Amino acid sequence: MTDKPTAPPIPLTVLGAGAMGTALVRAWLAAGHPVTVWNRTPARAEALAAEGATVARTAAEAVSANRLVIACLLDDASVGAALAGVDLTGRDLVNLTTGTPADGRTRAAWATARGARFLDGGIMAVPPMIGDADSGGYVFYSGSSALFAEHRDTLAVPAGTRYVGEDPGFAALHDVALLSAMTGMFAGVSHAFALIRREDVAPKDFAPLLADWLTAMAPAVHLTAEQLERGDYSHGVVSNLAMQVAGNATLLRTAEEQGVSAELLTPYTGLMERWLAEGHGEEDGTGVVELLEVGRNPR
Ligand code: NDP
């Protein structure tokens, strides 16, 4: 029996040789893809020539070299700046630059008007995770499903892929929602370390307790999701809001006693108090999601 012949790795272009762009280029080179790279500051791209990349002198030259073009630049404005006046006709532009959902939608319309197919991406990894299949890193993609299906194998080389819909804003929406949750989590982590810092508790002894506790609490998000989908925030309540708000007073008093500012906690505890004051003491804290909606009318 002979092995089924596999397609040769397709050539592609990467715009941007920053920390992330460089990691992407290396992963595709390691998998045998011919890579053309362009960077605004040439030295960063030239460093990759020794590893087998072809360095383009201009973004236009890089775009014309291959049908599949990956952009990984600082922000959406830098994508606009790099590609201003560049002919995108017939190109498949995959934008892995972090942006907002609106950036993704606007950039998709912009690329389509220039004759390109477009996918937006949100990278859920840091550079050392790129090209390491066991790292757990992945990229959210949204936009043309046909384009994603066509390039899925190539896109899967540097990191896992998660396609989240035709709406080109959805990759950024998922990316930023996860990053926002992470930001809140790290706010809590900072507060916790501040509480123990001046006591006889070694941060390195406390860290595993903290990591395990956050891991144990994380599955609570599934109940929140179920309550939101049912529109019933009293479904399956384990610790009701009245109890949680009473407990918050202890958190705030402890902060004061320990000489720690409660400024990372009070925006959240304040919203919990508001939802309680609106008569939802028997529910979970899920109603805070509603309070965050700008222009919301009270239920
Ligand atoms: P770097 O700061 O290392 O690189 C930024 C890149 O953008 C460089 O190639 C830089 O070129 C280029 N650039 C900046 N401004 C312009 C401009 N006006 N015109 C053309 N090129 C420009 O950032 P990263 O590589 O780390 O990040 C790239 C993208 O990846 C960002 O959107 C980031 O949010 C995302 N990302 C990064 C992660 C990380 O941990 N690093 C994690 C997940 C996503 P020059 O060298 O000339 O300055």
Side-chain angles (χ1 to χ4, degrees):
M1 207 170 96
T2 55
D3 285 334
K4 198 171 143 212
T6 51
I10 69 158
L12 57 94
T13 285
V14 176
L15 304 174
M20 187 55 85
T22 295
L24 293 170
V25 168
R26 288 192 170 128
W28 274 307
L29 286 174
H33 290 262
V35 179
T36 298
V37 60
W38 170 82
N39 195 64
R40 180 182 60 174
T41 306
R44 291 175 100 175
E46 280 154 13
L48 290 161
E51 299 177 40
T54 301
V55 177
R57 284 171 298 122
T58 63
E61 186 185 310
V63 168
S64 69
N66 294 300
R67 181 183 184 103
L68 178 57
V69 177
I70 313 290
C72 188
L73 300 169
L74 187 64
D75 53 15
D76 184 65
S78 45
V79 177
L83 292 175
V86 172
D87 183 9
L88 295 179
T89 313
R91 301 296 100 169
D92 292 341
L93 179 60
V94 179
N95 183 26
L96 300 186
T97 304
T98 305
T100 69
D103 287 339
R105 289 169 185 146
T106 307
R107 194 54 68 196
W110 173 92
T112 306
R114 281 160 184 76
R117 295 193 296 175
F118 183 84
L119 268 181
D120 205 45
I123 304 176
M124 305 310 299
V126 292
M129 295 163 82
I130 299 297
D132 175 357
D134 298 325
S135 71
Y138 65 88
V139 180
F140 284 121
Y141 289 97
S142 67
S144 163
S145 55
L147 179 54
F148 176 72
E150 215 170 289
H151 291 301
R152 182 201 298 254
D153 291 347
T154 302
L155 296 176
V157 166
T161 62
R162 295 198 186 179
Y163 178 76
V164 286
E166 291 280 340
D167 184 329
F170 270 22
L173 183 65
H174 285 73
D175 178 356
V176 173
L178 292 190
L179 294 179
S180 300
M182 180 185 77
T183 300
M185 182 184 78
F186 284 129
V189 166
S190 299
H191 186 86
F193 275 119
L195 287 179
I196 62 127
R197 188 173 149 80
R198 281 185 278 171
E199 300 280 356
D200 189 19
V201 179
K204 69 174 177 20
D205 294 337
F206 181 68
L209 302 173
L210 183 52
D212 288 352
W213 178 244
L214 293 174
T215 305
M217 288 297 103
V221 303
H222 299 296
L223 178 58
T224 305
E226 205 181 328
Q227 291 174 343
L228 287 169
E229 294 209 349
R230 285 171 174 253
D232 174 7
Y233 309 154
S234 56
H235 167 77
V237 171
V238 178
S239 311
N240 72 29
L241 186 66
M243 184 285 274
Q244 290 187 46
V245 169
N248 287 347
T250 306
L251 307 193
L252 299 178
R253 215 152 33 83
T254 303
E256 200 179 345
E257 286 171 14
Q258 296 298 110
V260 168
S261 166
E263 65 196 300
L264 291 174
L265 299 185
T266 47
Y268 184 52
T269 58
L271 286 166
M272 292 168 84
E273 282 164 29
R274 253 177 73 194
W275 194 246
L276 178 66
E278 289 188 22
H280 303 283
E282 293 309 311
E283 297 182 1
D284 236 318
T286 302
V288 167
V289 176
E290 266 189 45
L291 291 179
L292 291 174
E293 283 165 14
V294 177
R296 151 193 184 268
N297 293 318
R299 287 211 291 183

